[in-house]
Amino acid sequence: MAPTELIHHIGLLVADLELAIERWSLATGYTFSEIGRYRTDFYVDRSNEQPHHHDARIAFSREGPPHIELMEFCGNGTHSALNGEGIHHLGFMDHPAVVERKGELAGCGMGCDGMALDKDGKILLWFTQKEDLHGIRLEFVSPVAQPIVMDDGRPAYTDGRGFPGLWPHEEQA
């Protein structure tokens, strides 16, 4: 990994997303996006190694980087309540070589704790195992459109590249 790569966001797992937004806003003065969902039918993790449905409710801070990503418990795997509340991952966005990075870190003994794939099986994002880095995962996100929708199911806003996101284009940092 190039030393110029910076952490884009810190992902926090929470039990109640609305309450977390309220409390983090109060405590930090940060502004959070509308609630969205990272929704895919092609998620793989230790709970099920076959591609399966994953529907994580999320919100991002405007302030950053690093931004704060709040994610509500979901499913039985990487985002489940069994993981407890707290820091879930450090995120690297628009990583140009996720597959290669996954291979490099596997060569160092770091495993996979979850992946979102596209319909053709290409990696959209990948999490390291939390046990490999002192209880915190790294997330590497490919520079492609991610499966994000708004909480009510309507299409997400789009950024300057046409990728879905949680902020109207004119409000994006």
Side-chain angles (χ1 to χ4, degrees):
M1 180 165 37
T4 57
E5 271 189 79
L6 300 176
I7 295 168
H8 175 267
H9 64 272
I10 300 166
L12 304 175
L13 203 51
V14 302
D16 181 321
L17 186 55
E18 285 84 356
L19 179 61
I21 290 168
E22 179 182 322
R23 295 192 54 83
W24 277 88
S25 295
L26 177 68
T28 64
Y30 282 20
T31 304
F32 284 85
S33 67
E34 292 178 55
I35 295 173
R37 292 176 177 266
Y38 192 97
R39 183 180 285 166
T40 179
D41 288 323
F42 304 102
Y43 194 76
V44 176
D45 63 13
R46 286 191 262 179
S47 74
N48 186 349
E49 294 183 8
Q50 295 301 311
H52 58 274
H53 187 70
H54 180 80
D55 192 2
R57 294 179 77 224
I58 60 174
F60 271 88
S61 70
R62 175 187 313 278
E63 295 75 16
H67 300 275
I68 295 174
E69 177 187 19
L70 300 172
M71 306 174 302
E72 192 169 72
F73 294 146
C74 74
N76 298 314
T78 55
H79 295 76
S80 76
L82 295 174
N83 289 291
E85 290 189 298
I87 297 177
H88 181 267
H89 68 268
L90 305 178
F92 296 88
M93 294 296 288
D94 294 329
H95 195 282
V98 174
V99 172
E100 291 80 359
R101 189 68 182 139
K102 183 178 181 291
E104 290 168 5
L105 292 179
C108 298
M110 293 188 196
C112 174
D113 202 26
M115 292 185 294
L117 309 171
D118 70 11
K119 62 182 170 67
D120 296 322
K122 294 180 184 152
I123 298 174
L124 297 175
L125 65 77
W126 167 65
F127 291 107
T128 62
Q129 285 186 22
K130 69 179 188 174
E131 298 83 2
D132 293 337
L133 288 167
H134 315 283
I136 299 174
R137 297 165 187 85
L138 297 183
E139 176 192 43
F140 296 94
V141 181
S142 297
V144 298
Q146 300 293 316
I148 296 170
V149 297
M150 301 312 287
D151 196 32
D152 61 7
R154 67 187 151 92
Y157 299 107
T158 55
D159 67 13
R161 302 178 292 182
F163 289 5
L166 300 179
W167 293 100
H169 180 60
E170 63 275 1
E171 295 182 25
Q172 294 177 21

